[in-house]
Amino acid sequence: MKDSHNIEDNRIIKVFLDEEVQPFAEFAPPVKFVLDTTKIPDGKHQLKIVAKSSNQVEGVKLIPFEVKNGPEISVIGLKENEVIDTQTSIIINAYGSETNDKFIIRGSENPKAIPSWIWALLIVVFAFGLFYFIMYWKQDLYESFF
């Protein structure tokens, strides 16, 4: 009977980025590592993890992800694949998190109108308050604190 502690552990994990043939990392499990996305260009990518068990049975896991290290770019007035004509007003704003020393309020947020559902909710609350006031207000219910 063999001792399980003396068996050579030949398990290995290989980590690939996108369609690369060579893995950028190889580990013996379990492993904890930091993926530095500053060296990866912005856009959609895929992490491919290939693991072999001690019996050399291979398992593959694909994890799609998106890298967004650059500034956030916001465009108001033009949507993807939108059909437009005549003159169209477009607002473009870009902001990132590189400034650690101060927070600049001007230009940090996009100018957007208040959503219509908030206006509708406000009208409903005001109308209910007015209805309640008209239906249930009686002078004899009012008691002064003085």
Side-chain angles (χ1 to χ4, degrees):
M1 185 172 188
K2 293 183 180 178
D3 186 10
S4 63
H5 297 292
N6 293 335
I7 296 175
E8 183 179 326
D9 190 6
N10 55 3
R11 298 177 299 161
I12 191 156
I13 297 174
K14 293 181 181 180
V15 183
F16 300 86
L17 183 63
D18 297 330
E19 298 298 323
E20 293 181 6
V21 183
Q22 291 292 103
F24 74 86
E26 291 186 22
F27 305 104
V31 65
K32 179 179 179 181
F33 76 100
V34 176
L35 179 64
D36 186 6
T37 62
T38 60
K39 296 175 176 43
I40 302 173
D42 284 2
K44 295 185 184 280
H45 297 281
Q46 182 174 4
L47 201 63
K48 179 180 176 183
I49 302 167
V50 179
K52 285 190 178 181
S53 67
S54 54
N55 293 335
Q56 298 302 309
V57 177
E58 189 173 89
V60 177
K61 182 163 185 105
L62 301 173
I63 305 172
F65 66 98
E66 185 172 352
V67 174
K68 184 77 169 133
N69 290 323
E72 179 66 29
I73 299 172
S74 174
V75 178
I76 299 174
L78 183 63
K79 297 177 183 168
E80 288 187 23
N81 303 318
E82 184 177 13
V83 177
I84 59 172
D85 57 359
T86 66
Q87 296 178 350
T88 303
S89 176
I90 299 173
I91 299 172
I92 300 173
N93 196 0
Y95 45 92
S97 60
E98 291 87 18
T99 56
N100 295 329
D101 54 345
K102 59 184 175 179
F103 179 72
I104 303 170
I105 294 176
R106 186 174 44 110
S108 294
E109 296 179 5
N110 294 321
K112 292 185 180 179
I114 297 173
S116 57
W117 64 269
I118 291 181
W119 286 114
L121 183 66
L122 193 64
I123 290 170
V124 167
V125 168
F126 180 75
F128 178 76
L130 189 62
F131 168 78
Y132 188 83
F133 180 74
I134 291 171
M135 294 299 291
Y136 298 104
W137 177 259
K138 295 180 184 172
Q139 186 65 31
D140 56 335
L141 295 175
Y142 177 74
E143 295 180 14
S144 176
F145 294 110
F146 302 106

